């Protein structure tokens, strides 16, 4: 389980204040809010790329930020919002780089590392890409390879920053459905940032609505995707409907 208790962080005039929530094993949670609301900052502070004011992140009860780097990399995997591959490495080699925190200074990955990397590609349904150059992938394929790289450590927590950014509709659905399936199959706690309330409602178990660095609401999609909450956070008038058991947000003049 991932627990965040009163996360505080500031840079310039922007402040993240009192962010508190939890994500259980096998649960998919979404930090939802408009651009500039603080979602990515919160995610980076949880992972430790930014330093909160005080200790506030716990994984299975352990103070995450006080752990050695290697142990943290084993407990949590992080997938950034965007990545531009500089060289045409094979996909399998890119995934194997996820083992770097476990290898010694002069140690090279062995056969077992490559077998485990292929296993993760297979889990995500993209093992056919193993020998393909990393620079020849579509946006959706690239995101899945980055997820595979994060998974080789077999983390208990997976953090994804806008995994659907720059993807077309088909690949958005593909990546999010794969993430959800992965969470249920492996028991990993998933926390990702999104700005689309419809995608958040369709693929999450819990939504943490964020505005101006603070949490506005936390709960199941049907409990937080409400007309008044969306209006407050996004500044637009909407109508929330239920279709086939799911909430759907539509613009409403």
């Amino acid at each position: 389980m991932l627990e965040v208790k009163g996360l505080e962080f500031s840079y310039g005039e922007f402040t993240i204040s009192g962010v508190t929530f939890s994500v259980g094993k096998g649960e998919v949670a979404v930090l939802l809010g408009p651009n500039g609301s603080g979602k990515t900052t919160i995610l980076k502070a949880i992972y430790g790329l930014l330093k909160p004011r005080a200790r506030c992140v716990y994984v299975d009860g352990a103070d995450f930020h006080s752990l050695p780097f290697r142990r943290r990399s084993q407990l949590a995997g992080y997938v950034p919002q965007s990545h531009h591959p500089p060289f045409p490495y094979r996909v399998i080699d890119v995934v194997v780089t996820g083992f770097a925190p476990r290898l010694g200074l002069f140690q090279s990955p062995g056969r077992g590392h490559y077998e485990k990397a292929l296993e993760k590609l297979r889990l995500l349904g993209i093992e056919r890409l193993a020998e393909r150059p990393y620079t020849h992938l579509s946006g959706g394929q690239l995101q899945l390879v980055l997820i595979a790289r994060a998974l080789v450590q077999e983390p208990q927590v997976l953090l994804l920053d806008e995994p659907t950014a720059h993807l077309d509709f088909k690949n958005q659905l593909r990546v999010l459905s794969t993430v959800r399936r992965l969470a249920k199959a492996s028991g990993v706690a998933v926390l990702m940032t999104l700005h689309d309330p419809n995608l958040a409602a369709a693929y999450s178990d819990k939504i943490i609505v964020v505005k101006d660095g603070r949490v506005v609401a936390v709960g199941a999609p049907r409990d937080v995707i409400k007309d008044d909450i969306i209006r407050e956070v996004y500044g637009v008038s909407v109508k929330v409907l239920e279709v086939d058991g799911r909430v759907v947000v539509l613009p409403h003049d």
Side-chain angles (χ1 to χ4, degrees), residues 89-93 118 121 126-133:
Y89 298 116
R90 294 184 307 163
V91 163
I92 190 71
D93 292 322
L118 186 59
L121 290 173
I126 54 171
E127 67 272 18
R128 69 189 183 283
L129 302 178
E131 299 297 324
R132 187 175 298 184

Side-chain angles (χ1 to χ4, degrees), residues 4-19 41 45-46 48 50-58 63 65 213:
V4 180
K5 300 179 179 180
L7 189 153
E8 304 272 347
F9 180 81
S10 295
Y11 59 91
E13 297 182 354
F14 187 79
T15 299
I16 302 294
S17 179
V19 172
T41 300
I46 290 171
L50 300 174
K51 187 176 181 180
R53 292 177 184 169
R55 294 176 178 177
C56 56
V57 179
Y58 303 87
D63 180 353
H65 292 156

